[in-house]
């Protein structure tokens, strides 16, 4: 039996009985809430719930039921404990693309109460080693097949998962089979000592993309990720028949929380492919598994629009985009071809990452209140609050007034690893300063209008790079591969402080045509870059997440304008 309260001194006293019942209820509610927050405990329950149903699949042919996924994760946990990881070794590197292997490795580490650190394999060895040093990582778990394509020289011991193939003993298999198929979840929790895990304990460290500087180690807790997983379920109204197509890398916070733990902690299936750029394989994977949910970026979506067949995406009914603004023309084209309209959401690594999302049309519950507004990034998810403050005075703004976006809720990170001063500079009284400029309309929808670092102060006025970029994108159109053709940044200027620079690939329109188009779009003269501010480059720097590398773009602009 499970005992929550203390013994009743006088069983005949109604008051004592009532107090004991109230305490029992409160404790039970706390246990239920903490179980939801401890996503490893959720994984065990969902895996057992889908014991004979498909839970995880990937484009390399893996197909695992919930029981098989739990069994393999438990076996891998035992092997890592016995052959690799020392007692007390907390942070463990993972260098794997989205797939069954990456899923099981993250589950095995979490079931052993370790902190998995999924490393960004699109950066240089130097940057990755800086992350390894910051997290104190001694071992990096990867696969030979994956590392054959890479040229990393890492300051940690490389562990190849293929080497474990013949290491499970008969006892390993028997014990883990019993735990997966026969032992109740509550007993398995106690066996693995998951009850010792607290909601505020660190579950993972996600390194920021480094789009505006050196990557920072964002510590996300069980409560951070657990609250996001619960919010996804509440907003998208998931069903047991849902199949989430997982293409975003696990080193990306959206990929880690939603496509990894969303699948692990909810009663849905996940189907993974190792590269978000591989449109043909993603189309086949979606068709084979009957994918219903696709999480992507607009850049990747353009590629699928050009290269995927209608039949391949016919089962999709939820497409959510993040990381960059979703252009209306892209949403229109995607809906026209595939019959499903993409919606936009918003988040940042420091917020686990989900902050807000427009409810997809197919999942709207149709109540009296609008749950989707195009041009916005949606309303904040349950439990999350948003506010806007004036960029200079810090005063809280009214509905419709633009300023700095602040977020509060269970999704706010624990902090930056080993950087308490930096943490304190962005998290104040529980509110996280996003660095994004936005306004909240009178119905609570958040509209992102720019990023603080993507403004230039020219002639005493704030000039938004993103607004100029969006108008230029309309003028130049889109390419077949979906890659961006223009990026706006700024370089120092002796007279005005800064001047606008447009980096662009080879374009069909002339610079004069582009400048005229910006003027006709209603942009003030101050917002229109000078003719010598347009610089042609072979390709724009892009991060592994599909976003523009803002740091790389600025460096390129400074270098090219110096010539």
């Amino acid at each position: 039996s499970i005992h929550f309260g203390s013994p009743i001194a006088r069983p005949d006293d109604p008051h004592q009985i009532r107090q004991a019942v109230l305490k029992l209820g409160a404790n039970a509610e706390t246990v239920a809430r903490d179980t939801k927050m401890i996503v490893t405990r959720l994984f065990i329950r969902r895996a057992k719930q889908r014991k004979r149903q498909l839970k995880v699949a990937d484009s390399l042919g893996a197909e695992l039921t919930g029981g098989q996924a739990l069994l393999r994760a438990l076996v891998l946990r035992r092997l890592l404990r016995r052959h690799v990881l020392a007692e007390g070794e907390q942070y463990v590197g993972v260098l794997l693309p989205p797939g069954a292997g990456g899923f099981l490795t993250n589950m095995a580490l979490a079931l052993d109460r370790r902190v998995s650190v999924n490393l960004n394999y699109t950066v240089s060895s130097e940057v990755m080693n800086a992350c390894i040093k910051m997290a104190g990582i001694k071992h990096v778990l990867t696969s030979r097949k994956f590392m054959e394509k890479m040229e990393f020289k890492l300051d940690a011991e490389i562990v190849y998962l293929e080497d474990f193939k013949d290491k499970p003993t008969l006892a390993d298999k028997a014990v883990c089979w019993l735990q997966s198929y026969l032992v109740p979840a509550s007993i398995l929790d106690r066996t693995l000592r998951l009850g010792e895990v607290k909601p505020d304990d660190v579950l993972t460290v996600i390194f920021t993309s480094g789009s505006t500087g050196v990557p920072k180690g964002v510590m996300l807790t069980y409560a951070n990720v657990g609250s996001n997983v619960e919010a996804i379920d509440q907003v998208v109204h998931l069903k047991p028949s849902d199949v989430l197509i997982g293409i975003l890398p696990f080193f990306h916070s959206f990929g880690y929380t939603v496509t990894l733990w969303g699948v692990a902690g909810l009663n849905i299936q996940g189907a993974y492919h190792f590269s978000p750029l591989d449109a043909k394989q993603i189309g086949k994977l979606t068709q084979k598994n009957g994918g219903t949910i696709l999480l992507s970026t607009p850049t990747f979506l353009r590629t699928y629009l050009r290269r995927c067949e209608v039949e391949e995406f016919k089962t999709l009914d939820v497409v959510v985009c993040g990381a960059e603004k979703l252009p209306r023309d892209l949403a229109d084209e995607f809906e026209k071809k595939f019959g499903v309209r993409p919606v936009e959401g918003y988040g940042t690594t420091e917020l686990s990452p989900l902050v807000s999302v427009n409810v997809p049309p197919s999942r709207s519950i149709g109540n009296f209140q609008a749950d989707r507004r195009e041009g916005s990034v949606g309303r904040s998810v349950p439990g999350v609050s948003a506010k806007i403050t004036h960029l200079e005075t810090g005063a809280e703004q009214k509905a419709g007034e633009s300023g700095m976006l602040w977020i509060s809720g269970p999704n706010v990170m624990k902090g930056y690893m080993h950087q308490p001063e930096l943490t304190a500079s962005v998290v104040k009284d529980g509110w996280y300063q996003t660095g994004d400029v936005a306004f909240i309309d009178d119905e609570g929808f958040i509209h992102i209008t720019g990023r603080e670092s993507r403004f230039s102060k020219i002639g005493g006025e704030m000039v938004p790079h993103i607004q100029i970029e969006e108008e230029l994108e309309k003028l130049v159109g889109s390419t077949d591969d979906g890659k961006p053709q223009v990026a706006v940044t700024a370089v120092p200027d002796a007279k005005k402080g800064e001047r606008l620079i447009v980096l662009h690939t080879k374009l069909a329109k002339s610079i004069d045509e582009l400048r005229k188009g910006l003027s006709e779009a209603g942009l003030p003269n101050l917002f229109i870059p000078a003719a010598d501010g347009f610089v042609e480059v072979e390709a724009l720097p892009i991060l592994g997440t599909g976003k523009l590398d803002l740091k790389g773009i600025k460096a390129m602009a400074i270098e090219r304008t110096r010539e």
Side-chain angles (χ1 to χ4, degrees):
S1 64
I2 300 174
H3 184 63
F4 289 109
S6 53
I8 300 172
R10 291 186 54 193
D12 59 335
D13 186 339
H15 176 71
Q16 283 200 21
I17 293 173
R18 181 175 179 276
Q19 291 300 110
V21 170
L22 288 173
K23 187 175 181 181
L24 177 65
N27 286 337
E29 188 178 328
T30 301
V31 169
R33 186 177 64 249
D34 284 358
T35 300
K36 279 187 177 181
M37 293 300 101
I38 309 303
V39 285
T40 37
R41 300 172 77 177
L42 273 183
F43 168 58
I44 290 171
R45 282 149 183 79
R46 296 302 180 231
K48 286 179 174 291
Q49 190 175 8
R50 296 179 73 99
K51 198 180 295 182
R52 310 289 177 187
Q53 284 179 276
L54 207 56
K55 182 68 175 170
V56 177
D58 67 24
S59 55
L60 297 178
E63 290 188 348
L64 303 174
T65 64
Q68 290 170 330
L70 180 57
L71 169 62
R72 294 193 184 194
L74 287 168
V75 169
L76 180 56
R77 170 189 169 273
R78 288 169 72 95
L79 296 178
L80 289 173
R81 285 174 67 87
R82 189 159 67 233
H83 298 288
V84 178
L85 303 177
E87 191 70 32
E89 187 175 338
Q90 190 177 11
Y91 297 94
V92 183
V94 179
L95 194 56
L96 291 166
F103 180 94
L104 295 172
T105 302
N106 276 276
M107 292 304 109
L109 291 171
L111 289 170
D112 200 32
R113 295 174 292 121
R114 314 265 183 179
V115 179
S116 62
V117 183
N118 288 269
L119 298 167
N120 185 344
Y121 40 79
T122 68
V123 300
S124 64
S125 294
E126 184 182 10
V127 172
M128 196 181 295
N129 281 327
C131 297
I132 286 170
K133 183 179 180 181
M134 189 185 298
I137 291 170
K138 296 177 181 177
H139 294 95
V140 173
L141 310 182
T142 185
S143 75
R144 277 197 169 80
K145 189 173 182 180
F146 181 67
M147 289 298 281
E148 282 170 5
K149 303 172 185 176
M150 305 295 175
E151 296 181 356
F152 292 126
K153 294 180 180 178
L154 303 183
D155 299 335
E157 186 178 339
I158 305 297
V159 179
Y160 296 109
L161 295 173
E162 294 96 331
D163 294 349
F164 292 142
K165 186 179 177 183
D166 301 319
K167 291 194 175 178
T169 64
L170 187 60
D172 290 330
K173 296 174 184 177
V175 169
C176 294
W177 187 90
L178 288 169
Q179 290 176 330
S180 301
Y181 289 94
L182 296 181
V183 173
S186 57
I187 294 176
L188 184 53
D189 280 351
R190 290 202 289 274
T191 303
L192 300 175
R193 294 166 57 196
L194 297 181
E196 296 177 16
V197 178
K198 302 294 186 293
D200 196 41
D201 288 347
V202 176
L203 172 63
T204 191
V205 176
I206 301 279
F207 284 93
T208 58
S209 62
S211 62
T212 56
V214 178
K216 300 180 285 288
V218 177
M219 299 184 291
L220 298 181
T221 67
Y222 284 83
N224 288 154
V225 175
S227 67
N228 245 221
V229 168
E230 189 177 10
I232 295 159
D233 197 17
Q234 291 178 5
V235 172
V236 184
H237 311 298
L238 295 169
K239 303 173 285 191
S241 58
D242 275 326
V243 179
L244 189 151
I245 302 301
I247 56 169
L248 299 177
F250 297 155
F251 63 71
H252 186 273
S253 56
F254 203 7
Y256 181 82
T257 295
V258 183
T259 63
L260 176 66
W261 283 107
V263 170
L266 298 170
N267 185 20
I268 60 172
Q269 180 201 331
Y272 297 98
H273 183 65
F274 51 83
S275 171
L277 296 169
D278 194 352
K280 287 292 183 186
Q281 290 303 318
I282 291 165
K284 290 177 183 177
L285 180 74
T286 305
Q287 186 173 22
K288 180 182 178 182
N289 288 272
T292 59
I293 302 170
L294 177 66
L295 306 173
S296 182
T297 69
T299 298
F300 299 147
L301 223 55
R302 284 199 187 277
T303 308
Y304 310 151
L305 184 61
R306 303 284 181 267
R307 299 182 182 177
C308 292
E309 302 298 328
V310 173
E311 283 296 302
E312 293 172 330
F313 278 178
K314 70 176 183 181
T315 55
L316 284 180
D317 74 347
V318 172
V319 177
V320 179
C321 280
E324 49 187 308
K325 189 171 181 62
L326 173 64
R328 185 180 288 271
D329 69 316
L330 173 58
D332 290 340
E333 287 182 62
F334 200 90
E335 183 180 28
K336 184 178 179 181
K337 181 171 181 177
F338 298 116
V340 54
R341 190 166 188 83
V343 298
E344 193 172 355
Y346 167 77
T348 72
T349 304
E350 290 87 346
L351 296 170
S352 311
L354 190 60
V355 170
S356 63
V357 67
N358 283 289
V359 176
S362 63
R363 301 302 170 98
S364 175
I365 58 175
N367 60 16
F368 64 92
Q369 194 176 41
D371 50 19
R372 177 171 64 98
R373 177 159 295 168
E374 296 211 352
S376 80
V377 292
R379 283 199 188 90
S380 54
V381 298
V384 172
S385 300
K387 70 177 181 180
I388 305 292
T389 60
H390 193 278
L391 288 176
E392 294 178 1
T393 67
E396 192 162 342
Q397 301 285 72
K398 297 176 183 176
E401 294 180 339
S402 183
M404 178 59 63
L405 175 63
W406 295 76
I407 299 295
S408 176
N411 59 334
V412 176
M413 66 171 177
K414 187 163 189 170
Y416 294 119
M417 185 172 235
H418 308 315
Q419 293 181 290
E421 290 181 2
L422 185 59
T423 302
S425 71
V426 294
V427 180
K428 299 172 183 178
D429 298 324
W431 289 88
Y432 171 71
Q433 180 179 342
T434 64
D436 286 314
V437 180
F439 69 88
I440 302 172
D441 66 27
D442 54 7
E443 290 191 73
F445 288 92
I446 301 171
H447 300 251
I448 306 295
T449 56
R451 184 154 184 85
E452 189 181 30
S453 61
R454 299 212 66 194
F455 279 78
S456 291
K457 199 158 190 178
I458 301 173
E461 188 173 339
M462 298 294 279
V463 178
H465 299 175
I466 289 177
Q467 186 180 351
I468 302 165
E469 216 168 76
E470 287 173 356
E471 293 300 336
L472 285 169
E473 285 169 352
K474 290 177 188 175
L475 293 168
V476 303
S478 59
T479 58
D480 287 345
D481 59 11
K483 290 182 179 177
Q485 300 177 84
V486 294
V488 178
T489 186
V491 297
D493 182 80
K495 292 180 181 178
K496 296 182 180 179
E498 283 186 296
R499 70 185 180 103
L500 296 170
I501 299 294
V502 179
L503 294 183
H504 62 88
T505 55
K506 192 172 183 61
L507 303 174
K509 290 189 176 182
S510 69
I511 291 171
D512 286 343
E513 286 176 307
L514 294 177
R515 296 184 75 241
K516 184 181 177 184
L518 291 176
S519 180
E520 289 173 349
L523 266 61
N525 288 335
L526 200 61
F527 288 25
I528 300 174
D532 65 355
F534 286 77
V535 179
E536 185 175 325
V537 296
E538 190 174 329
L540 296 174
I542 303 291
L543 295 167
T545 55
K547 292 196 291 186
L548 288 168
D549 180 356
L550 301 180
K551 183 184 175 187
I553 285 166
K554 192 172 186 73
M556 184 181 282
I558 291 171
E559 182 185 346
R560 293 296 297 271
T561 54
R562 192 183 289 143
E563 294 173 358

